[in-house]
Amino acid sequence: MKRSLLLIAYLLLSANLLIAQIIHVPGDQPTIQAGIDAAKIGDTILVADGIYEGEINFNGYAADSVIIKSESGPDNCIIDCQNEILSSSFIFNSQDCKSTVEGFTIRNAYSGVSIYAGASPMIIDNIIDSCEIGILCGSEAKPVIESNIIKNCINTDKYYEFGGGIRISNSSPIVINNIINDNSASKGGGIYCSYSTPSIINNTIIGNSGTDVSSSSGDGNPILRCEYDQHNRIYECFVPLQNSSGG
């Protein structure tokens, strides 16, 4: 009986994998959000070149484990949030969110990508440009953030002016092989961490700025700033001292 149940489970899984589809946007669905809403686990949402507007939200759909990627890379496939208040291009907000976002330019958002509630997506090969915060991780998020360019993000939020390129709070992301440049914030113009256990590996963090160099609760670095953290893993990152404008 047990063997029969295992066989049935294996066959169902195999069937799901075999029928995984490619959903073309805008060919099959008019928007990326519509593609996600229509997708099933294992599907790929392939997005044609163009400029797309609005937020893309994972709200517990079956599509929480899909691949969303551009057809030809980030230069010509753009998500523009048009500087809407508290906007974000991609929002991952549940533990089941394990999807991949690959090959987009994301611009003019409050947070280019927002990851919460134990979500563990992969954010790969994107350009995140001119947002308030490039990537925001909170509430036990566990993403992989790899091979992105995060630039020109200027955090002016008077209540949470920490983290320009990436803000990490109560999370354990893997941040690897990214270029994080020309961002600014009060603390952590490049990366700001608090109450977290990140792995920050082989990143280039250049041209960023921060103004707060106090070290009463952190390391005093205004560019890559970690406060109240335990078990940080920061390896082979290039963070030149001239980043530290303001201190």
Side-chain angles (χ1 to χ4, degrees), residues 59-224:
N59 288 312
Y61 298 108
D64 279 340
S65 295
V66 300
I67 297 170
I68 307 105
K69 66 181 298 184
S70 64
E71 283 188 349
S72 56
D75 290 338
N76 297 307
C77 195
I78 299 165
I79 300 172
D80 192 334
C81 289
Q82 300 183 317
N83 294 309
E84 293 287 337
I85 296 174
L86 299 181
S87 61
S88 183
S89 66
F90 287 95
I91 301 174
F92 297 89
N93 54 6
S94 81
Q95 190 171 3
D96 295 325
C97 290
K98 300 178 176 66
S99 293
T100 298
V101 172
E102 180 179 351
F104 295 91
T105 287
I106 296 165
R107 69 189 187 193
N108 299 328
Y110 173 77
S111 170
V113 180
S114 298
I115 308 164
Y116 304 106
S120 54
M122 299 184 70
I123 311 300
I124 302 173
D125 287 329
N126 302 283
I127 299 171
I128 301 175
D129 188 7
S130 300
C131 299
E132 189 105 357
I133 304 167
I135 297 178
L136 177 58
C137 303
S139 303
E140 301 182 355
K142 300 182 286 290
V144 174
I145 300 168
E146 182 175 357
S147 300
N148 302 280
I149 298 172
I150 304 172
K151 62 181 181 176
N152 303 320
C153 295
I154 301 173
N155 187 346
T156 59
D157 189 323
K158 64 181 180 180
Y159 297 107
Y160 300 102
E161 197 180 352
F162 302 157
I166 301 175
R167 183 200 292 168
I168 301 165
S169 177
N170 191 30
S171 299
S172 53
I174 297 172
V175 182
I176 183 168
N177 294 335
N178 301 280
I179 298 173
I180 301 169
N181 66 283
D182 298 316
N183 308 287
S184 69
S186 174
K187 294 182 181 179
I191 300 175
Y192 176 81
C193 314
S194 64
Y195 299 101
S196 297
T197 55
S199 297
I200 302 172
I201 304 166
N202 197 35
N203 298 280
T204 299
I205 305 172
I206 56 172
N208 302 280
S209 62
T211 57
D212 189 334
V213 297
S214 62
S215 57
S216 59
S217 58
D219 61 11
N221 187 331
I223 305 307
L224 198 168

Side-chain angles (χ1 to χ4, degrees), residues 2-20:
K2 185 176 180 181
R3 182 174 295 178
S4 297
L5 290 174
L6 288 172
L7 178 60
I8 291 169
Y10 173 78
L11 290 173
L12 288 173
L13 178 61
S14 299
N16 281 333
L17 292 174
L18 286 172
I19 61 174

